[in-house]
Amino acid sequence: MKRASAILSVSMLALIPAAAAAQESSDTLPTEQEAADSATQSGLNVIVVTAQRREQDIQEVPISVTAISGDELTEVGIRDPRDLTLVVPSLSIQAGTSSTTTSLFLRGVGIGDFNSNTTGAVGVYVDDVFLGANAGKLFNVFDSEGIEVLKGPQGTLYGRNTTAGAIRFSSRKPTDEFSADAAVSYGRFNEVQAEAGVGGPIIGDVLKARVAGTYLRRDGWLLNRVTGHKLNALDMWAGRAIVDFTPNSDVLVRAIVHGGQNRGDARQFQHRGSGVDLLGNPIFAGSVPLDGLGYADTDGDVDAGDYDVEGQERVDVFGASLTGEFDIGNVTLTSISAYEQVRRNTLEDTDASPNNVLTATYIDRPEQFSQELRLQSNGSGPINWIVGGYYFHDKLVTDSSFDILRVLRDPNDLPGTLDPVNSIGNYAYPYTQKTESWAAFAQTDIDLTDRLTLTGGLRYSVDSIDFDYQAFFDDVVVVPVLDFEGSKTFRDLSWRAALAYQASDDVMLYASSSKGYNSGGFAGGSSSDPAQLQPFDSETLYAYEAGFKSDLLGRTLRFNATAFYYDYRDLQVFVFDTSGVLPVQRKLNAGNAEIYGLEVELQAQPSRYFNAFVNTSFLHAEYKEFTALAAEDYSGNDLVNAPDFSISGGFTVTQPLPGGSALQFRADGSFQSESFLTPDNARANRVKPYGTANVRFSWLSADEKLELALWGKNVTGTRYITYISPVVTMDQINYNDPSTYGVQAVLKF
């Protein structure tokens, strides 16, 4: 709390213009930088977003949006959606085993299901392409033009409907003139990160291209006391090529191809005994709870453990898209065709102990194709409209399994033989899921007066899912356990209505009402009973929001605030059924929940040499009606990953030097209050309040083409829990990364 208070105090002080040290230096920056900084000399820059499928000043969009520029992504050290929590306090994560997958929550809305067939409640889009596969979402955040985080249901304009919101990544596009840039950093644990891009014209104004890539490698930091190895290493790369064909000013055809690989470690868990043996009897060593075989990790060191299996991950990603934009009079026709595939194979030490109690192998191969067609007005009249259709097809093939209680196998048995008295064997549960989605949507903005705009939108969605599931033991002979086939179609009509009033040139008021939808489906975890595989229903969220956006004091202060209320119905919840011998993953509908809150964003730039921001979120999120398995009543409990209070803040100070170069210092931090990772709100499964801080000190050349920096992430050394899951007589626990620091060079040509 003291650390968090310090971060908050520094951030709030930074917003006081008097603290902006902030006097203009007599030294002047180079002429070209003065031109580049012309907007910031008189205040904050205009931020252009495309949240409503057309370019708008973010201060004129009647949606709660947080935008982060590509340069800021580099400064903050954001590598994937998980790092966005550094600057978006209402966004939180739940990180399981895989180093390339995560569950995202926005304003308390999300699904903590790590299984392959879960698309989540927060839609992730890269260059306007919706990404359905969990493992594919984290390979595209490089060479970025910027990121937009859209909060609340976005069903009328974006791909498959999402109840929580959308995260939109935009790649840097080919430029009219040759350009190139690169960034290389080296840090703690021998971390090497390199990113580079080059682009420009190939044939005049007709053909342009850009090629970019990234590479990240880091040694492990978690000691395996059994082998002496360091675990949780990173090793991945990704690349992207973009080609723009513009035969004339009315036509743009853009082709994008991207791919990547991960060959790092699977995330290794910390072990916590549940205090019961394999028969359900209490088992303790003094006051320390043991697991079923009498083991406990008792040293309290979150950077060490005892593991008989060292997790590994193999992920291959490939995707391509073709976008066409055709101006036809006063309308624009847009077509986006996209294909994405992921190949993932993860080996996990599920029991996180030196005993071979439970080892998981997760294999999944999702393939998706999507097609979107949009027709929208491009005039400057009082009515702006957009109509379109969307098609999404996904085929997911999995071949996952759990090796259960092999530690109890008779050592005299031949390798691969089954000992039915003690061990259970290898339990495989392959399945194939096919998803086909259709949607038609429309949205219109009508200027009722010069200052008052009405927005209305509709989307009709049809989602059909076919599910073919099997389960069997396959050590020596195949012993069938379960054969299940299911099919279900879900339909929904979502809508949005909003009013925006431009009270003055610098103040906009807005209010909106919308309905979001996330289709039902089938649970994708290990199951042994057909009842566990019955389809769960769609969830719906009715959102009511009001707020204002303002640029004050000659655009030196930006003050935005949003209040919202969510009526969340039939929300989908991921739980573990521990009523049997083994925990079973279940996905079910929790009845109703209520969420309301307030978000405030402040940004100040009293000088072109000083900038500061503070973003806060106040949240109340609870289950109003939720009777879980075994008749457990969770009504009144907090939703998972929904802290009551969270804040992020920071500042940047630039000091010009003689000759035109400059020194720059940036510090930012975040804090969040207590939250829970399971619906039962058990104290053992809570995340205690925590705060983190990051710093960056750099030198910029006079032409800003070279930057040399020292950086530190999580410099406070804060460790907090990001994931908890029960398995056989123990709990898996994941923690965030330790402090990292290093040096970086950034070049621009």
Side-chain angles (χ1 to χ4, degrees):
M1 288 293 293
K2 290 181 179 179
R3 289 175 180 167
S5 299
I7 294 169
L8 177 59
S9 299
V10 170
S11 301
M12 294 302 291
L13 286 172
L15 288 174
I16 303 175
Q23 300 216 5
E24 300 278 342
S25 168
S26 58
D27 296 314
T28 59
L29 297 178
T31 304
E32 53 262 50
Q33 183 170 341
E34 289 180 353
D37 285 347
S38 59
T40 60
Q41 289 184 30
S42 58
L44 293 159
N45 283 321
V46 173
I47 300 175
V48 177
V49 297
T50 55
Q52 297 194 116
R53 300 295 195 186
R54 54 192 173 91
E55 292 186 350
Q56 292 175 283
D57 182 347
I58 193 173
Q59 294 298 94
E60 298 176 357
V61 179
I63 298 173
S64 182
V65 184
T66 299
I68 305 103
S69 68
D71 290 340
E72 187 176 1
L73 295 176
T74 300
E75 292 176 6
V76 181
I78 292 176
R79 293 194 296 232
D80 60 53
R82 293 172 292 195
D83 290 332
L84 287 173
T85 57
L86 298 171
V87 290
V88 185
S90 56
L91 180 69
S92 58
I93 67 163
Q94 187 165 312
T97 300
S98 174
S99 60
T100 55
T101 63
T102 192
S103 298
L104 299 170
F105 293 74
L106 194 53
R107 291 178 172 174
V109 179
I111 303 170
D113 185 357
F114 58 83
N115 287 295
S116 308
N117 65 339
T118 298
T119 56
V122 180
V124 175
Y125 300 81
V126 176
D127 295 321
D128 281 340
V129 175
F130 171 77
L131 300 182
N134 275 338
K137 292 182 173 67
L138 307 187
F139 276 94
N140 294 280
V141 189
F142 66 95
D143 196 45
S144 180
E145 212 167 58
I147 297 176
E148 299 172 18
V149 180
L150 284 60
K151 305 167 189 175
Q154 305 297 323
T156 58
L157 289 182
Y158 286 94
R160 299 194 69 200
N161 285 344
T162 50
T163 44
I167 300 177
R168 303 181 65 246
F169 297 89
S170 297
S171 308
R172 285 196 174 104
K173 305 303 187 297
T175 49
D176 294 331
E177 298 180 357
F178 174 81
S179 65
D181 50 80
V184 181
S185 68
Y186 177 81
R188 189 184 184 192
F189 307 117
N190 290 318
E191 177 180 316
V192 177
Q193 184 173 11
E195 181 177 316
V198 58
I202 298 175
I203 304 176
D205 296 332
V206 176
L207 196 65
K208 296 178 289 186
R210 182 172 178 85
V211 178
T214 185
Y215 172 74
L216 171 63
R217 184 192 175 280
R218 189 181 72 188
D219 293 343
W221 47 264
L222 177 67
L223 173 65
N224 184 356
R225 289 183 290 246
V226 174
T227 64
H229 298 161
K230 292 293 186 73
L231 309 180
N232 289 347
L234 300 176
D235 185 1
M236 61 182 69
W237 65 266
R240 181 190 300 114
I242 304 177
V243 177
D244 283 357
F245 175 60
T246 52
N248 56 61
S249 60
D250 295 329
V251 176
L252 166 64
V253 178
R254 172 170 292 149
I256 302 178
V257 178
H258 71 88
Q261 282 188 344
N262 174 36
R263 293 295 182 267
D265 294 346
R267 193 78 170 186
Q268 208 83 18
F269 296 109
Q270 286 287 301
H271 177 285
R272 182 176 68 188
S274 59
V276 295
D277 63 18
L278 296 175
L279 299 177
N281 301 312
I283 177 171
F284 286 81
S287 61
V288 177
L290 307 178
D291 68 10
L293 296 178
Y295 169 77
D297 185 351
T298 59
D299 68 356
D301 185 355
V302 300
D303 293 332
D306 304 300
Y307 310 106
D308 66 306
V309 174
E310 298 181 341
Q312 296 180 327
E313 188 162 53
R314 301 291 182 266
V315 180
D316 296 276
V317 175
F318 172 79
S321 65
L322 184 65
T323 300
E325 293 183 1
F326 309 94
D327 289 340
I328 309 168
N330 291 325
V331 299
T332 299
L333 174 65
T334 302
S335 170
I336 304 175
S337 308
Y339 171 81
E340 298 284 335
Q341 75 169 28
V342 178
R343 299 291 183 265
R344 173 191 172 220
N345 188 325
T346 300
L347 175 67
E348 168 191 283
D349 185 14
T350 309
D351 58 74
S353 79
N355 302 310
N356 197 344
V357 178
L358 188 64
T359 302
T361 301
Y362 298 113
I363 299 175
D364 49 81
R365 300 183 297 277
E367 287 185 90
Q368 72 171 62
F369 170 77
S370 61
Q371 174 64 54
E372 183 168 359
L373 287 173
R374 302 196 304 262
L375 190 67
Q376 65 187 95
S377 62
N378 57 19
S380 57
I383 299 178
N384 288 286
W385 52 266
I386 178 172
V387 296
Y390 180 77
Y391 173 75
F392 176 86
H393 180 273
D394 177 80
K395 181 180 180 181
L396 170 65
V397 179
T398 75
D399 191 15
S400 301
S401 62
F402 286 109
D403 195 4
I404 305 170
L405 292 176
R406 193 166 294 271
V407 68
L408 299 180
R409 186 150 300 176
D410 187 338
N412 296 318
D413 285 346
L414 295 175
T417 60
L418 177 65
D419 180 356
V421 176
N422 294 312
S423 65
I424 296 179
N426 192 64
Y427 188 73
Y429 58 102
Y431 64 85
T432 299
Q433 177 174 290
K434 296 180 181 178
T435 302
E436 196 165 42
S437 300
W438 301 83
F441 59 90
Q443 182 167 301
T444 302
D445 295 336
I446 303 174
D447 293 337
L448 302 178
T449 70
D450 290 342
R451 294 187 176 273
L452 184 64
T453 300
L454 172 67
T455 299
L458 291 172
R459 175 185 285 264
Y460 182 72
S461 302
V462 179
D463 295 283
S464 297
I465 301 176
D466 295 323
F467 192 65
D468 185 356
Y469 186 102
Q470 293 179 316
F472 49 82
F473 291 101
D474 63 351
D475 274 75
V476 180
V477 295
V478 175
V479 181
V481 175
L482 181 61
D483 193 343
F484 177 88
E485 290 187 19
S487 182
K488 186 78 172 179
T489 298
F490 305 91
R491 294 177 172 84
D492 179 77
L493 179 65
S494 298
W495 44 264
R496 169 178 169 79
L499 274 174
Y501 177 66
Q502 198 69 41
S504 68
D505 291 343
D506 298 321
V507 178
M508 189 266 287
L509 312 175
Y510 69 94
S512 69
S513 175
S514 59
K515 176 192 173 187
Y517 151 85
N518 197 354
S519 94
F522 298 87
S526 62
S527 299
S528 58
D529 187 334
Q532 299 164 354
L533 295 174
Q534 295 305 309
F536 52 86
D537 293 332
S538 303
E539 65 177 16
T540 54
L541 189 149
Y542 296 88
Y544 308 91
E545 187 168 327
F548 66 85
K549 298 184 177 185
S550 62
D551 287 333
L552 308 174
L553 304 178
R555 294 182 62 85
T556 61
L557 178 66
R558 182 162 292 158
F559 180 24
N560 300 340
T562 303
F564 58 90
Y565 177 85
Y566 288 172
D567 179 5
Y568 198 4
R569 302 181 185 180
D570 295 320
L571 63 156
Q572 297 163 7
V573 179
F574 181 70
V575 297
F576 282 87
D577 182 357
T578 57
S579 59
V581 177
L582 298 175
V584 176
Q585 304 164 25
R586 300 286 299 274
K587 196 168 180 181
L588 45 86
N589 296 96
N592 299 328
E594 180 182 63
I595 303 174
Y596 55 83
L598 173 68
E599 294 171 350
V600 177
E601 295 184 353
L602 289 168
Q603 186 177 4
Q605 185 150 343
S607 159
R608 62 175 170 170
Y609 302 131
F610 184 85
N611 181 282
F613 76 94
V614 175
N615 298 333
T616 59
S617 171
F618 302 88
L619 186 68
H620 171 86
E622 72 171 38
Y623 301 105
K624 300 296 292 183
E625 187 180 327
F626 184 11
T627 302
L629 303 168
E632 296 176 286
D633 188 2
Y634 295 155
S635 301
N637 286 3
D638 289 351
L639 270 66
V640 298
N641 285 283
D644 291 343
F645 173 73
S646 51
I647 183 171
S648 63
F651 63 89
T652 302
V653 177
T654 302
Q655 176 60 55
L657 298 175
S661 62
L663 296 177
Q664 190 173 84
F665 178 75
R666 177 188 173 102
D668 59 76
S670 62
F671 169 81
Q672 77 164 45
S673 62
E674 175 185 81
S675 62
F676 295 93
L677 295 177
T678 54
D680 60 6
N681 285 189
R683 299 299 292 174
N685 297 335
R686 72 186 180 114
V687 180
K688 298 178 181 180
Y690 67 87
T692 64
N694 314 295
V695 295
R696 190 171 189 268
F697 181 72
S698 63
W699 171 85
L700 293 88
S701 64
D703 58 5
E704 290 195 344
K705 292 183 177 181
L706 174 63
E707 181 180 12
L708 302 177
L710 302 173
W711 57 269
K713 293 184 67 173
N714 188 18
V715 294
T716 56
T718 304
R719 309 305 297 276
Y720 56 90
I721 294 173
T722 61
Y723 180 80
I724 294 178
S725 174
V727 293
V728 183
T729 71
M730 55 80 62
D731 295 329
Q732 303 168 325
I733 302 177
N734 261 340
Y735 287 84
N736 68 310
D737 287 358
S739 300
T740 54
Y741 41 79
V743 296
Q744 182 185 48
V746 181
L747 300 93
K748 299 179 181 179
F749 306 96

